Amino acid sequence: MIPAELSAYLAAEIAAFPGKTSLLVADLPTGAVRHAWQPEEPVPSASTIKVPILLAALEEVRLGRLSLEQRVALPAAALLPDTEVFDRGETDCSLWELLYWMTALSDNTATNVILDLLGLDAVNRYATRVLGLRHTVCRRKMLDAAAAAAGRDNRTSAADQCRLYRQLCLGRLLTPRLTETALDLLRRQRCMDAALRYLPYPVDFAHKTGELDGVTHDAGVFFQGSGGYYLGIFTWEGPSPDGDPEQKRYIGRLARAIYETYL
């Protein structure tokens, strides 16, 4: 497709989707917007909130207040029933391993241990003062049903995620070594069934997914040569309960059309 045809295709798909969509495609080096649909709309973040948490932790490493090698306690009370990695009787692990499991496998236990280490307020200060995010806020830990029922939901937007990914990729946040650490962790993302679902090509995509009942997101950067594109597709109030692939298929269709047009 040429870009005009892609715009028409995206508009038709978004209109037919039985839920809400926010979408942003932007050039990585310049930030030029290629396609946008409600990019500033605040949305339930699901696990995409883990990207600003990752960057806030690495900022503490940059400042010398934490280190990737330091051991972090894993209290038994912190272990959540959905964890797939902390079931071997560990009492501690390195900060790097916690960041790996939070990012690559989206482990909620690892995320909550990191949030205990950093503090919600510190994450939110970093998101607003350093990253300049307008709609991103971390109001609760993962799987905190009581906080969620009280309306304390974590939120973000496609535009905010674009801001943080571009700053990271352009080297404006961390040291070169820590920038590469962050991108390496995001490239290790194991959830490959949304934006990458229908791409039969070898791709270089640093990204993070998110999923709750009726909520499915995928956002990150496709690298190509010295440049690339940010792609963020956020869907909410949709038809898919957690684990159902319908919204992921929708994201996959849009992502393939965008990828084949620009990359």
Side-chain angles (χ1 to χ4, degrees), residues 11-33:
E13 284 280 334
I14 291 169
F17 176 65
K20 295 184 177 180
T21 301
S22 175
L23 178 146
L24 181 59
V25 182
D27 181 77
L28 177 60
T30 67
V33 173

Side-chain angles (χ1 to χ4, degrees), residues 17 139 169 205 219:
F17 176 65
R139 294 193 180 104
C169 294
F205 190 34

Side-chain angles (χ1 to χ4, degrees), residues 26-32 166 170 172 226-229:
D27 181 77
L28 177 60
T30 67
R166 287 195 66 244
L170 297 177
R172 297 172 179 170
S226 60
Y229 289 89

Side-chain angles (χ1 to χ4, degrees), residues 200-244:
Y201 322 104
V203 297
D204 186 0
F205 190 34
H207 66 122
K208 184 75 192 76
T209 60
E211 185 176 1
L212 297 167
D213 285 341
V215 175
T216 306
H217 309 320
D218 204 344
V221 171
F222 284 103
F223 293 97
Q224 185 181 54
S226 60
Y229 289 89
Y230 165 81
L231 170 64
I233 305 175
F234 294 77
T235 67
W236 70 106
E237 295 183 21
S240 301
D242 192 0
D244 184 277

Side-chain angles (χ1 to χ4, degrees), residues 3-263:
E5 293 171 333
L6 176 61
S7 291
Y9 170 81
L10 294 175
E13 284 280 334
I14 291 169
F17 176 65
K20 295 184 177 180
T21 301
S22 175
L23 178 146
L24 181 59
V25 182
D27 181 77
L28 177 60
T30 67
V33 173
R34 304 296 180 179
H35 303 274
W37 183 269
Q38 301 188 102
E40 300 280 355
E41 180 72 18
V43 305
S45 68
S47 287
T48 63
I49 196 67
K50 294 170 184 175
V51 184
I53 295 171
L54 167 68
L55 298 182
L58 292 176
E59 172 69 358
E60 292 299 295
V61 174
R62 185 187 73 82
L63 294 171
R65 294 195 283 249
L66 297 176
S67 76
L68 293 175
E69 298 78 20
Q70 77 179 73
R71 308 300 294 182
V72 181
L74 286 170
L79 301 184
L80 297 173
D82 70 336
T83 186
E84 297 181 10
V85 294
F86 298 113
D87 56 0
R88 305 188 299 270
E90 302 99 330
T91 58
D92 64 13
C93 69
S94 71
L95 176 59
W96 181 89
E97 186 175 354
L98 286 170
L99 294 173
Y100 173 85
W101 293 124
M102 176 182 74
T103 307
L105 198 63
S106 209
D107 187 83
N108 289 317
T109 292
T111 307
N112 284 354
V113 171
I114 293 167
L115 283 173
D116 284 338
L117 184 66
L118 300 176
L120 292 175
D121 289 343
V123 171
N124 290 323
R125 283 195 301 271
Y126 179 77
T128 56
R129 297 178 186 177
V130 178
L131 297 178
L133 305 186
R134 302 169 186 167
H135 313 116
T136 298
V137 61
C138 187
R139 294 193 180 104
R140 63 172 175 83
K141 293 162 70 173
M142 305 302 108
L143 301 191
D144 186 341
R152 297 200 304 275
D153 202 3
N154 300 326
R155 302 190 75 79
T156 192
S157 70
D160 270 6
Q161 294 280 325
C162 183
R163 291 182 189 105
L164 69 84
Y165 273 102
R166 287 195 66 244
Q167 290 180 82
L168 172 65
C169 294
L170 297 177
R172 297 172 179 170
L173 298 176
L174 303 166
T175 65
R177 181 179 71 87
L178 291 174
T179 297
E180 187 53 41
T181 295
L183 291 174
D184 176 63
L185 292 170
L186 291 161
R187 283 175 164 123
R188 292 173 184 247
Q189 171 64 239
R190 295 190 186 184
C191 301
M192 313 289 280
D193 56 352
L196 298 179
R197 189 179 192 93
Y198 301 123
L199 295 182
Y201 322 104
V203 297
D204 186 0
F205 190 34
H207 66 122
K208 184 75 192 76
T209 60
E211 185 176 1
L212 297 167
D213 285 341
V215 175
T216 306
H217 309 320
D218 204 344
V221 171
F222 284 103
F223 293 97
Q224 185 181 54
S226 60
Y229 289 89
Y230 165 81
L231 170 64
I233 305 175
F234 294 77
T235 67
W236 70 106
E237 295 183 21
S240 301
D242 192 0
D244 184 277
E246 183 175 349
Q247 281 175 242
K248 294 178 181 178
R249 295 190 187 109
Y250 167 68
I251 291 174
R253 292 194 302 273
L254 302 188
R256 176 163 180 163
I258 292 163
Y259 184 89
E260 291 186 338
T261 298
Y262 290 105
L263 293 133

